[in-house]
Amino acid sequence: AEGHLTLEAFLSVYRAELNQGKVWGVAHDLAALGRPPPLGPGQLFRARFDRLYLAGPSQPLTGHTPRADRALPHELHPSDHLPVTALFDWR
């Protein structure tokens, strides 16, 4: 029915995530429901893909990459992305 997600469509979202190796999304959802997967410490995905790229004669002066103290998203950070910032010298 329009506006409703069928059980098969719902399950297909998770199958696609798992088939792509994105177990962290499924692990997060299970943990949010109070049913964390039986994984040991360090077995959840921990990496950063957000980057800044610059082409030209500028030099980076400083950069800041915030760290999360627990899996994202959660109630304080509703996205699985954290801001990435940098200061450049445009001379």
Side-chain angles (χ1 to χ4, degrees):
E2 188 175 324
H4 292 85
L5 186 63
T6 65
L7 177 59
E8 184 53 40
F10 175 79
L11 293 174
S12 73
V13 170
Y14 285 101
R15 280 191 207 105
E17 292 277 305
L18 294 172
N19 288 336
Q20 294 174 31
K22 298 177 181 178
V23 297
W24 62 90
V26 177
H28 171 271
D29 291 351
L30 290 171
L33 294 170
R35 308 287 284 199
L39 299 175
Q43 288 186 293
L44 288 178
F45 179 80
R46 294 180 187 272
R48 292 293 300 256
F49 290 113
D50 299 325
R51 301 279 189 266
L52 290 174
Y53 294 95
L54 175 71
S58 178
Q59 295 293 316
L61 298 176
T62 63
H64 176 67
T65 303
R67 305 256 181 246
D69 60 348
R70 57 188 164 131
L72 298 176
H74 55 71
E75 66 276 0
L76 297 177
H77 295 284
S79 173
D80 60 349
H81 297 272
L82 290 171
V84 179
T85 62
L87 178 65
F88 294 94
D89 181 358
W90 291 100
R91 291 181 230 170

